[in-house]
Amino acid sequence: MKIITSIFDLNKEIKNYKNIGFVPTMGGIHAGHSSLIKASQKKKSKTIVSIFINPTQFNKKSDFKNYPRYMKKDIAILKKLNVDYLFTPNAKDVYRFKSKKFNLKKSDKILCAKSRNGHFEGVLNVMNRLMSIIKSKDLYMGEKDYQQLYLIKKFLSKKFRVRINSCPTVRIKNKVALSTRNKLLNKKYLKIASEIALFLRKLKRKSKFQPSEIASILPNYKILLETKYNIKIDYLEFRDEKNLELNNFKNKFRLFIAYNINNVRLIDNF
Ligand code: AMP
């Protein structure tokens, strides 16, 4: 695996390859990331993984500071996975050149965009930059961050004529979605996260038969989970898979949650 930090070196290295898959990450590599890498390796002749903890997408400085960093371990895992290139640029270089600013419309200020002011603008900004550097025609992203996937499809897929390959959420046995942020939780909190995941999975299954009825009592479930587990739920909502419309049960839909547990924000969808 070649580890590249400069944009110039990366361009030199990949300019002759057309068949490249790109897996952007913020590190703390886990089996969720590996699933994206494997999906890319199945289809593409070369795979680039980036590790870049993007400062502009954190709406709290403390969150950026506390975000887990495991570069050494990550390199070892990525080598084992036979990744071709690891791109680890620094923020100065990524933000050196001028680039389009993204503003979300009111209709997009839902779910995480409602409470994390500027978060997705930061995500779109950095993805616009990374994609203009890497120019891959295939991007691999996880459904775990469903709204991110939705917004990148909406704002960037046409511009870069990139295929966005969405990969299902990888969970551990206890059904908790793998996430780098899980590393900030101890056993006790992971057990709670597991109970919540199991409960919501069941609720989603039930909702297939009577979605409107369950949607109408979601606020009660929200309070129930908050009091039982001493957590703060930001949202618990059913939304359409295609357009993220609230309580639209005509097409496929998902149950979305974001909550804070011991000061760690977790998101998931079922
Ligand atoms: P992150 O490093 O958290 O920014 O995630 C990088 C990519 O991995 C994003 O496309 C995520 O959606 C994806 N990802 C994160 N967790 C999982 C998971 N448990 N299953 C599948 N993909 C994931």
Side-chain angles (χ1 to χ4, degrees), residues 22-30 33 36 49-59 63-64 66-71 74 78 86-89 95 116 119 122-123 126-127 130 140-141 144-145 148 179-181 183:
F22 176 32
V23 181
T25 83
M26 297 209 297
I29 302 296
H30 52 64
H33 298 122
L36 313 187
V49 174
S50 65
I51 295 182
F52 179 62
I53 303 178
N54 173 35
T56 65
Q57 73 187 68
F58 289 84
N59 48 333
D63 194 20
F64 173 65
N66 295 332
Y67 196 83
R69 288 158 167 89
Y70 299 98
M71 193 52 98
D74 288 348
L78 296 173
L86 167 61
F87 182 45
T88 56
Y95 283 96
R116 298 191 71 191
H119 166 64
V123 169
V126 77
M127 284 305 295
L130 291 176
Y140 293 83
M141 304 197 81
K144 151 92 176 26
D145 300 276
Q148 168 174 282
S179 163
T180 305
R181 286 179 193 271
K183 296 179 188 185

Side-chain angles (χ1 to χ4, degrees), residues 33 54 80 107 128 142 156 186 237:
H33 298 122
N54 173 35
K80 258 201 181 154
S107 56
N128 187 45
L156 297 177
N186 64 19
E237 294 174 352

Side-chain angles (χ1 to χ4, degrees), residues 146-190:
Y146 202 89
Q147 191 177 13
Q148 168 174 282
L149 190 65
Y150 167 82
L151 289 170
I152 286 174
K153 270 187 197 162
K154 180 168 172 173
F155 286 93
L156 297 177
S157 63
K158 271 199 202 119
K159 174 174 175 191
F160 291 101
R161 286 204 265 136
V162 61
R163 194 171 23 232
I164 294 167
N165 302 276
S166 55
C167 304
T169 302
V170 177
R171 297 173 184 280
I172 22 186
K173 257 199 207 135
N174 61 11
K175 298 301 167 214
V176 175
L178 281 163
S179 163
T180 305
R181 286 179 193 271
N182 292 353
K183 296 179 188 185
L184 299 170
L185 297 173
N186 64 19
K187 257 193 185 166
K188 173 185 149 194
Y189 292 115
L190 281 172

